């Protein structure tokens, strides 16, 4: 759950006032056939505005910085670990900080994987397994998300370490990391 600050309350108060004005205008409607549809429409618009305003206010008030990011591949367990430090560089507390890592096979610098870049099975078993519906689909990019900090106060830092399974068929991997707070 996101931690609200005063900007959240200001925006939600304005949306509530607009919703109340819409309800009053709907109740003053002389044509009673339109009353329920107007009430539903005003409420639906207010809910959408509230949800999007919380997301937008979070984006501009909750700022997280990622530093000293390192990774280490653990061959014995076929895992990879990422570790680093997250810091709240904004003026408001952050409810939770999410670390997102995207691994792309074959070192595609843009993060895009085109249709011809998928792993093709070879060998005797791969030749016969396609006919039985056992074809091996191996994704060429994976994205993992981890919550690495909770209730991070302004100016506070927290170190983290995450582990996940590393696909053994990946070669020349490019990684793209980012953090965000909510």
């Amino acid at each position: 759950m996101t931690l609200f600050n005063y900007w959240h309350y200001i925006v939600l108060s304005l949306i509530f006032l607009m919703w109340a004005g819409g309800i009053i205008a709907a109740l003053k409607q002389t044509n009673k056939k339109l009353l329920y549809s107007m009430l539903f429409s005003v409420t639906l618009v207010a809910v959408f505005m509230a949800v999007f305003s919380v997301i937008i206010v979070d984006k501009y008030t909750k700022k997280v910085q990622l530093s000293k990011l390192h990774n280490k591949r653990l061959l014995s367990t076929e895992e990879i670990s990422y570790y680093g430090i997250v810091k709240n560089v904004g003026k408001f507390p952050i409810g939770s900080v999410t670390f997102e890592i995207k691994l792309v096979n074959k070192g595609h610098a843009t993060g895009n994987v085109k249709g011809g870049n998928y792993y093709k099975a070879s060998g005797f078993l791969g030749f016969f397994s396609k006919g039985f519906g056992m074809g091996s689909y191996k994704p060429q990019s994976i994205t993992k998300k981890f919550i690495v900090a909770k209730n991070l106060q302004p100016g506070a830092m927290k170190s983290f370490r995450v582990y996940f399974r590393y696909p053994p068929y990946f070669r020349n991997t490019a990684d793209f990391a980012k953090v965000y707070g909510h």
Side-chain angles (χ1 to χ4, degrees):
M1 180 69 189
T2 183
L3 291 177
F4 281 10
N5 54 46
Y6 61 86
W7 288 108
H8 288 95
Y9 294 118
I10 291 171
V11 170
L12 291 176
S13 298
L14 291 174
I15 292 171
F16 177 76
L17 290 175
M18 290 184 345
W19 175 78
I23 294 295
I24 291 170
L27 292 175
K28 289 183 178 180
Q29 179 65 274
T30 58
N31 186 355
K32 295 301 177 187
K33 292 181 182 178
L34 298 176
L35 176 67
Y36 294 116
S37 62
M38 286 180 68
L39 290 175
F40 178 75
S41 299
V42 167
T43 304
L44 187 66
V45 168
V47 168
F48 280 130
M49 286 176 59
V51 168
F52 287 123
S53 69
V54 167
I55 293 170
I56 290 170
V57 170
D58 275 353
K59 180 178 180 179
Y60 288 107
T61 61
K62 300 186 178 182
K63 300 179 181 182
V64 184
Q65 182 180 24
L66 177 65
S67 61
K68 297 184 181 180
L69 180 66
H70 301 285
N71 65 0
K72 184 175 183 180
R73 189 165 172 201
L74 308 169
L75 296 175
S76 61
T77 59
E78 291 186 8
E79 290 183 329
I80 190 165
S81 71
Y82 281 88
Y83 51 95
I85 298 173
V86 290
K87 180 179 181 181
N88 183 352
V89 294
K91 297 179 184 177
F92 303 100
I94 299 174
S96 64
V97 177
T98 302
F99 170 69
E100 180 179 312
I101 185 75
K102 180 178 181 180
L103 298 178
V104 180
N105 197 9
K106 299 199 188 275
H108 291 291
T110 61
N112 295 332
V113 179
K114 299 193 179 5
N117 294 330
Y118 288 99
Y119 176 82
K120 305 265 191 299
S122 62
F124 183 75
L125 183 59
F127 178 74
F128 287 107
S129 65
K130 289 180 185 175
F132 297 114
M134 297 171 33
S136 59
Y137 168 73
K138 297 187 179 183
Q140 298 302 301
S141 68
I142 58 170
T143 304
K144 299 285 186 178
K145 294 180 183 180
F146 303 94
I147 294 178
V148 295
K150 291 190 177 207
N151 296 326
L152 197 60
Q153 297 302 316
M157 297 187 305
K158 184 163 186 339
S159 61
F160 70 92
R161 181 179 298 260
V162 295
Y163 297 90
F164 60 94
R165 295 203 38 94
Y166 187 82
Y169 58 89
F170 270 29
R171 303 286 182 260
N172 301 326
T173 306
D175 58 351
F176 304 94
K178 66 179 178 177
V179 290
Y180 50 90
H182 36 253

